[in-house]
Amino acid sequence: MKNQSIAERLKYQRKIKGLSQEELSLRTNVTVRTIQRIENADVNPHLNTIKLLAAALDVEVNDLLPLDDPKEETIKKKWLLLIHATPLLGLFIPLCNVLIPLFLWIHKREDNPIYDKHGIKVINFQISVLIYAVLSFVALMTVGAGLGFLIFILTVPVCIAIVIFNIIYVLKKDKCYYPLSIPFLKYKKGATSKILAAILIMAFVSSCNTKSNDTIERLDGSTIIKDSVSYKIDHLTKEANVIGMAVAIFNNNQPVYEHVTGYKDASEKLLLTDSTSIYGASLSKAVFAVLTMKMVEDGIIDLDTPLESYLPKKMYEYEPQTKWHDDYRGLETDSLYHKITARMCLAHTTGFINWRFFEPDMKLKVHGTPGEKYSYSGEGFVYLQVVLEKITGKNLEELVQENIFKPLGMNHSAFEWKPEFEKDFTYGHAKDGSLYEKDKDNEPRSASTMETTFSDYVKFLTAVLNNKLISKESTNEMFSPQVKINSLTQFNEGAKLTTDKYEDIKLSYGLGWGYLETPYGVGVFKGGHGSGFQHYSIIFPKSGKGILIMSNSDNAESVFKELLEYSIADKYMPWQWLNYIPYK
């Protein structure tokens, strides 16, 4: 009887479409012989074959195949029970109350109109439940503990009761009733385009629940699972023999990910933590740049006034108060140093060499006209520091504690070694994993002597991104390009060679920070490099994204390129200029 019905319906639908058996075969890849046997009622065709024929004829499956025998009724009960009952899994797995019935509906809706109708009603109700749950939470937060709490506490039990009622109702009557449903999907032919609306709603709810907790948004807008970043860091450090590393990633001006791995002392297998004191190396310069901009805001100093003009005597006339870094007696015969300004010091255009002990006679001197050419110089920062100390009557440690560290709660940071650091500090490690001797007798120098912790420096970068220490105008000035960089590398022989290979990122230097441009906005970066310590940070002020990497290993820089590309999709770091040569 059933075969005869299929035969008659197929023959009827084919003829009103004006198709021969051969033409229908070409549209479906069902053989002519099979179509002939179906129309002669000689076979009971597979459901997939019926679906192919229905699609080719542009009709519904039930136009060819009525479900009217007892066996089909049993199958129908099973599927209806699944459609109505599986939303209860949403109590244990978020969003399953919508996703599972949505999958079942898409899979079964063409088999029988009853699956289509019931599936639509279940999906509409479950999406409505998600919305009501959000609204009830809003009511709890806004209306208050009385009515708001009552609405919130009743929402889930009422919805569960409605689901259980419909499970029983559909088993007895093949009917369902879902009050309070919002009709996102409507039952009619061609209504499947409404699926997109439901999917978008679920994606929105899902992103609200999980995105900020489990994923990181990268520069290009893509997201990455936090666990995969941790795995990548652990893998890279192992492959490149990096002893210890701490990584923080920023989204929306806030740290959203932190991971610390490895040892502070490889010889004793002592673990590195976010509170372990770590030598900051040239990350010191970024802190000092912010301090200087604070001095500018307070009217203590001007960026473009020659520094020596603030002092009653020539720099070379002052008696040194430290072991060596404030000894400027060698400048007595120099005719150019008096032109140096704070802007030149922060932008590395003073003409001073990086450190005086690289000079043949170990005496400081100016090379070229100040302000004209980029040449990385720790001496320039120290020169500015010494002038600020003489103007204010306070030493560097006092100034930075008062203006930076204490306001931010950076309680484990200083520009000099402190006894409390003894209980938890990290050694620097050479390429072979051996330990460098810890240097603890440095006098405070703005360019290089900061001791900090990973946790403290995260606080500093967060404050910079949010303009907590200085105004937005001062931050913008600090992050503006001051001098174009066209050297092949930052240091060594490459620093004497010119190139245009960094034109596309407009590589420059701001005030204390490197500067580059990407399709995702301006990035400002600062690294740190000392015996056994290698650090790098870059932040993108417009998007509020960025990354901080701190390490106690001479091998760390070899993984920076790969780590940045993977974690934040930063493919623009000038790794060759920085000499961050990949380990493989």
Side-chain angles (χ1 to χ4, degrees):
M1 182 71 180
K2 178 180 176 181
N3 290 357
Q4 183 65 34
S5 176
I6 295 172
E8 292 174 354
R9 287 168 178 256
L10 176 60
K11 191 182 299 181
Y12 171 77
Q13 293 292 344
R14 177 175 61 78
K15 287 184 177 180
I16 65 173
K17 298 294 183 181
L19 298 174
S20 65
Q21 291 176 336
E22 289 78 8
E23 290 171 328
L24 182 58
S25 175
L26 290 173
R27 289 190 178 192
T28 61
N29 288 326
V30 177
T31 65
V32 175
R33 177 60 179 156
T34 300
I35 294 173
Q36 290 173 346
R37 295 180 68 191
I38 294 172
E39 291 188 354
N40 292 333
D42 293 334
V43 296
N44 183 15
H46 192 277
L47 180 59
N48 287 336
T49 303
I50 300 298
K51 288 182 178 180
L52 288 172
L53 293 169
L57 294 168
D58 195 26
V59 298
E60 297 293 323
V61 171
N62 60 292
D63 289 333
L64 298 180
L65 181 61
L67 303 177
D68 57 2
D69 70 2
K71 182 178 179 182
E72 290 295 341
E73 288 298 315
T74 301
I75 294 174
K76 183 177 67 178
K77 292 284 188 182
K78 177 186 73 174
W79 287 109
L80 286 177
L81 180 61
L82 285 172
I83 290 171
H84 288 276
T86 50
L88 291 175
L89 291 174
L91 294 172
F92 310 101
I93 307 174
L95 297 181
C96 278
N97 64 314
V98 176
L99 293 177
I100 294 180
L102 179 63
F103 171 78
L104 293 171
W105 174 64
I106 293 173
H107 180 66
K108 298 297 295 180
R109 63 184 175 81
E110 291 185 351
D111 292 357
N112 191 314
I114 194 171
Y115 300 151
D116 194 15
K117 292 178 181 178
H118 282 239
I120 286 173
K121 290 182 178 180
V122 170
I123 293 166
N124 284 340
F125 177 72
Q126 294 300 333
I127 295 175
S128 301
V129 166
L130 293 178
I131 294 175
Y132 295 146
V134 173
L135 293 177
S136 67
F137 181 75
V138 173
L140 177 63
M141 295 294 101
T142 57
V143 176
L147 180 60
F149 178 76
L150 182 64
I151 294 172
F152 178 74
I153 203 67
L154 288 179
T155 299
V156 173
V158 169
C159 292
I160 293 174
I162 292 173
V163 171
I164 293 174
F165 164 79
N166 277 283
I167 292 172
I168 299 171
Y169 195 34
V170 78
L171 289 175
K172 290 185 176 181
K173 300 288 187 179
D174 287 346
K175 296 179 181 180
C176 61
Y177 176 66
Y178 286 96
L180 306 176
S181 292
I182 302 171
F184 297 101
L185 303 176
K186 296 181 180 179
Y187 174 69
K188 62 179 181 179
K189 293 182 180 180
T192 56
S193 62
K194 298 286 186 177
I195 296 174
L196 181 61
I199 292 174
L200 290 175
I201 291 172
M202 288 184 293
F204 173 76
V205 174
S206 176
S207 66
C208 289
N209 289 335
T210 64
K211 182 177 179 181
S212 62
N213 294 325
D214 301 326
T215 62
I216 297 164
E217 185 175 69
R218 306 195 296 176
L219 291 174
D220 58 5
S222 64
T223 57
I224 189 169
I225 301 297
K226 291 180 180 179
D227 285 347
S228 72
V229 177
S230 298
Y231 175 83
K232 186 71 170 181
I233 294 168
D234 293 342
H235 172 74
L236 287 174
T237 53
K238 181 179 179 181
E239 289 293 307
N241 192 30
V242 177
I243 302 302
M245 180 175 284
V247 179
I249 297 176
F250 298 82
N251 280 180
N252 299 316
N253 298 326
Q254 296 296 326
V256 295
Y257 170 86
E258 295 180 19
H259 183 70
V260 183
T261 187
Y263 302 107
K264 64 182 180 181
D265 182 345
S267 65
E268 298 292 335
K269 302 298 182 184
L270 300 176
L271 293 178
L272 179 70
T273 72
D274 62 356
S275 60
T276 300
S277 180
I278 186 168
Y279 171 56
S282 284
L283 291 181
S284 307
K285 294 181 176 71
V287 174
F288 182 70
V290 173
L291 173 65
T292 301
M293 297 307 294
K294 182 70 168 61
M295 300 292 99
V296 171
E297 283 187 354
D298 292 345
I300 294 171
I301 199 170
D302 179 78
L303 286 173
D304 297 308
T305 299
L307 291 173
E308 192 178 66
S309 66
Y310 287 102
L311 306 176
K313 298 191 296 185
K314 299 291 185 181
M315 282 296 289
Y316 56 79
E317 294 177 345
Y318 284 91
E319 189 70 24
Q321 302 298 308
T322 68
K323 294 177 182 177
W324 61 269
H325 74 253
D326 68 339
D327 184 352
Y328 293 106
R329 289 173 293 186
L331 293 178
E332 184 173 1
T333 58
D334 192 292
S335 62
L336 296 173
Y337 84 91
H338 65 277
K339 296 182 179 180
I340 294 174
T341 65
R343 187 184 301 276
M344 296 173 192
C345 292
L346 296 178
H348 295 286
T349 62
T350 59
F352 288 147
I353 200 169
N354 193 10
W355 295 111
R356 66 187 69 189
F357 38 81
F358 292 134
E359 295 281 10
D361 59 1
M362 300 185 69
K363 292 183 179 180
L364 198 58
K365 58 180 65 68
V366 175
H367 298 269
T369 303
E372 288 190 352
K373 182 181 178 182
Y374 172 83
S375 180
Y376 194 88
S377 175
E379 289 284 0
F381 274 69
V382 173
Y383 182 81
L384 174 56
Q385 167 199 336
V386 173
V387 172
L388 281 174
E389 289 176 327
K390 294 185 183 303
I391 293 174
T392 62
K394 298 178 181 179
N395 63 39
L396 173 63
E397 182 62 17
E398 292 175 302
L399 289 172
V400 77
Q401 289 291 346
E402 179 182 327
N403 292 279
I404 307 288
F405 294 155
K406 288 183 179 178
L408 295 182
M410 295 174 65
N411 299 323
H412 306 287
S413 298
F415 271 71
E416 61 186 5
W417 181 260
K418 293 184 178 295
E420 56 262 35
F421 298 160
E422 288 283 355
K423 61 183 179 182
D424 187 10
F425 72 90
T426 177
Y427 288 96
H429 295 78
K431 288 183 177 295
D432 63 0
S434 60
L435 274 60
Y436 286 100
E437 183 180 354
K438 179 62 180 176
D439 190 356
K440 302 178 182 179
D441 63 350
N442 281 326
E443 295 171 314
R445 289 190 291 276
S446 58
S448 60
T449 64
M450 180 178 65
E451 292 282 338
T452 187
T453 66
F454 173 65
S455 179
D456 270 9
Y457 206 77
V458 168
K459 292 178 182 178
F460 171 72
L461 287 182
T462 304
V464 171
L465 281 166
N466 291 278
N467 304 298
K468 285 187 175 180
L469 294 166
I470 55 177
S471 68
K472 186 175 182 179
E473 291 73 22
S474 293
T475 301
N476 290 341
E477 179 73 14
M478 185 171 64
F479 290 162
S480 296
Q482 306 293 318
V483 57
K484 180 181 178 181
I485 295 174
N486 56 14
S487 60
L488 184 63
T489 61
Q490 186 174 23
F491 298 113
N492 304 320
E493 291 301 313
K496 302 174 185 177
L497 304 176
T498 60
T499 181
D500 61 358
K501 69 184 302 180
Y502 307 115
E503 285 284 344
D504 56 336
I505 61 170
K506 295 182 172 56
L507 184 62
S508 306
Y509 224 86
L511 299 177
W513 304 69
Y515 172 98
L516 54 81
E517 295 181 10
T518 77
Y520 313 113
V522 168
V524 288
F525 61 90
K526 190 70 200 80
H529 184 108
S531 296
F533 294 96
Q534 296 182 349
H535 317 308
Y536 183 75
S537 67
I538 184 167
I539 55 177
F540 294 82
K542 186 174 181 180
S543 66
K545 295 182 173 68
I547 188 170
L548 166 66
I549 309 170
M550 301 182 76
S551 177
N552 59 357
S553 170
D554 277 344
N555 294 319
E557 290 171 353
S558 69
V559 307
F560 286 179
K561 177 179 182 292
E562 187 172 349
L563 180 53
L564 260 69
E565 291 178 356
Y566 184 84
S567 60
I568 64 170
D570 179 6
K571 300 179 180 179
Y572 303 93
M573 180 178 72
W575 59 272
Q576 291 168 304
W577 184 76
L578 292 162
N579 198 38
Y580 294 167
I581 308 302
Y583 70 98
K584 61 177 181 179

